[in-house]
Structures are given as structure tokens and as C-alpha cells.
Amino acid sequence: MLDIGNLRSLQLLFSQGFQCKPSKPLPQHLEEFVQSSGEHGVIIMSLGTLVGQLPQDLTEEIAAAFAQLPQKVIWRHKGDKPATLGNNTLLVDWMPQNDLLGHAKTKAFVAHGGTNGVQEAMHHGVPIVGLPLILDQPDNLFKMEVRGAAKVIDIFTMNKDIFLQGIEEVLHEPSYRKNMQRLSRLHRDTPMKPLDSAIFWIEFVMRHKGATHLRTQAYKMPWYYSVDGVF
């Protein structure tokens, strides 16, 4: 049986990017759209699946900012089409996110900061414009920001000009891409693939009946030791 200590260890293993993988060719209609961007490249935007759609006024601000860019934009968007949408922006219900992040023409990733998206961006070396919303998203993005690989924007005070300035900073300041590519090299430089590592340790725990010898002795301490420092 797995105890709480080993469950935490497995959780850490699964947070090391086991879902990251090489990109595959894009569907033809997406590839044609990406190639039409020319030398300017593409920006992709996705805010995950937990938040269905943003308030309409905020959506209009984001669309208006995108419309001023020379880049093409692929935006996973739910809800009504923004009135300010530019000809450079493609709205989609779903996107092959990993494959787009791995495309040579992708210049930036506008993201909410979910663990999977951040790790995929890091794996492929794509800098992030972060719009954190809930849960662990602010923490994930601030960790990237302090490493110079992301620009975090407060979505609750954001307008068109703030959003546009953030995107242009990430696009035109080379340090963002350089820092993310450095993190990508570190992320990839492992003795075995993250998924293989996760499988090994799951089977290790099963073979050794819970691997209690790896359980930290801190779990044997009385509960009041955890609150002793409060007083």
C-alpha cells in the first residue's frame, strides 16, 4: 500500500514534465495559417479548460491588442467572436498545443499558467506571457518570471495597452527566449525520459510493498511539532 510520503514522491515525479514530447506535424489548415505568418511568426493563446471564457469586455481588449501585431495569432477561444478581432487572429475550439509550441515559427505563448502548459513551453523553449487566474497558476508563472522566461500580467487590471506592451516586450526583448531556451536545455538533460522515470518509481514502490524505507521519519513526529513554531 502507498503511504502519504510515497504518494507525495510520486506526485513530484509526475510534475517533472512526463507529458512533454516531440512535436508532430500540424493539421494542414493550421500549417498553412502558421506559414502565412512569414518572418513575423505566430503567437498562440490558451487559458486551459477550467475557465470556459473571459468577460466580454476583457475579450475585446485582448482581441484589439492582437489586431495591432504583425504576427499571426491562434487563440483557443470560447464564447462570442470579439468585435475587435483582427484578420491576423484565428479562433479555434481546440488546438494541438504541444505541436504548436514545438513549431519553429511560434514566438510566444499567452497562457494561464497551468502546470502542463508551462512545462510544455519550457520543453520547447517558448517564452510566456502569463495571465494567471486561479489555483497554482500565479506560483507557476512567477517562478518562470523570476528566471527571466515569462512576463506576468495582472488580468484583473489589464487593458489593451498593458496587454500589447507585455506581448511586445516578450517578442522583442531577446532575453526572454534566451532564458527559456536555457531552461529547456536543463529540462531535457536527464538520464532517462520523465515518463520512464515515473514508471520505474511506481513499479519500485509496488515491488517493495510500499517502499516504507523511503518514507521520511518526519511522519512519525507528534502533530504538535508542526505548530510549535507558531507560538
Side-chain angles (χ1 to χ4, degrees):
M1 179 179 296
L2 298 181
D3 61 38
I4 190 170
N6 286 325
L7 282 173
R8 177 57 179 158
S9 299
L10 291 176
Q11 182 185 21
L12 291 172
L13 276 174
F14 280 109
S15 70
Q16 300 305 309
F18 74 96
Q19 85 287 357
C20 298
K21 51 187 178 293
S23 59
K24 297 181 293 186
L26 298 174
Q28 183 176 353
H29 71 288
L30 283 182
E31 181 63 30
E32 290 174 356
F33 183 80
V34 168
Q35 292 299 335
S36 72
S37 66
E39 64 180 8
H40 298 295
V42 174
I43 299 166
I44 67 172
M45 176 171 175
S46 175
L47 299 182
T49 57
L50 290 180
V51 178
Q53 62 188 77
L54 296 172
Q56 189 63 26
D57 59 339
L58 187 55
T59 298
E60 298 288 348
E61 295 286 306
I62 291 172
F66 280 148
Q68 295 189 23
L69 294 169
Q71 285 77 21
K72 292 295 180 74
V73 180
I74 301 174
W75 181 3
R76 184 181 181 275
H77 172 73
K78 299 288 187 180
D80 297 333
K81 179 180 177 180
T84 55
L85 193 72
N87 294 330
N88 66 331
T89 304
L90 175 66
L91 301 182
V92 296
D93 290 330
W94 175 86
M95 65 169 65
Q97 181 171 288
N98 181 74
D99 302 331
L100 281 166
L101 286 169
H103 199 287
K105 285 188 174 293
T106 299
K107 304 300 182 182
F109 181 30
V110 181
H112 63 308
T115 300
N116 285 353
V118 168
Q119 289 180 349
E120 287 175 352
M122 181 169 60
H123 182 78
H124 293 293
V126 178
I128 298 172
V129 178
L131 304 177
L133 298 169
I134 55 175
L135 303 174
D136 63 337
Q137 297 163 12
D139 185 55
N140 291 338
L141 287 172
F142 286 132
K143 286 177 180 177
M144 302 305 291
E145 186 175 52
V146 298
R147 290 165 175 80
K151 171 73 174 181
V152 178
I153 300 174
D154 183 359
I155 198 170
F156 302 105
T157 60
M158 184 184 77
N159 58 29
K160 182 194 74 172
D161 293 333
I162 293 173
F163 185 56
L164 181 61
Q165 182 180 1
I167 293 176
E168 289 181 331
E169 180 178 332
V170 170
L171 288 173
H172 301 307
E173 171 50 59
S175 64
Y176 284 99
R177 178 166 289 272
K178 187 178 299 183
N179 288 329
M180 187 62 100
Q181 290 176 342
R182 180 181 63 84
L183 292 176
S184 178
R185 291 191 294 272
L186 291 171
H187 178 74
R188 292 167 177 259
D189 193 2
T190 59
M192 59 194 302
K193 295 179 180 179
L195 181 57
D196 293 336
S197 180
I199 291 172
F200 168 81
W201 285 108
I202 290 171
E203 293 178 343
F204 179 92
V205 171
M206 294 171 64
R207 284 195 302 271
H208 297 284
K209 312 300 182 185
T212 55
H213 65 289
L214 295 180
R215 186 181 185 187
T216 174
Q217 296 301 303
Y219 287 103
K220 295 182 179 179
M221 296 173 66
W223 66 269
Y224 47 79
Y225 277 94
S226 63
V227 297
D228 181 61
V230 176
F231 302 100

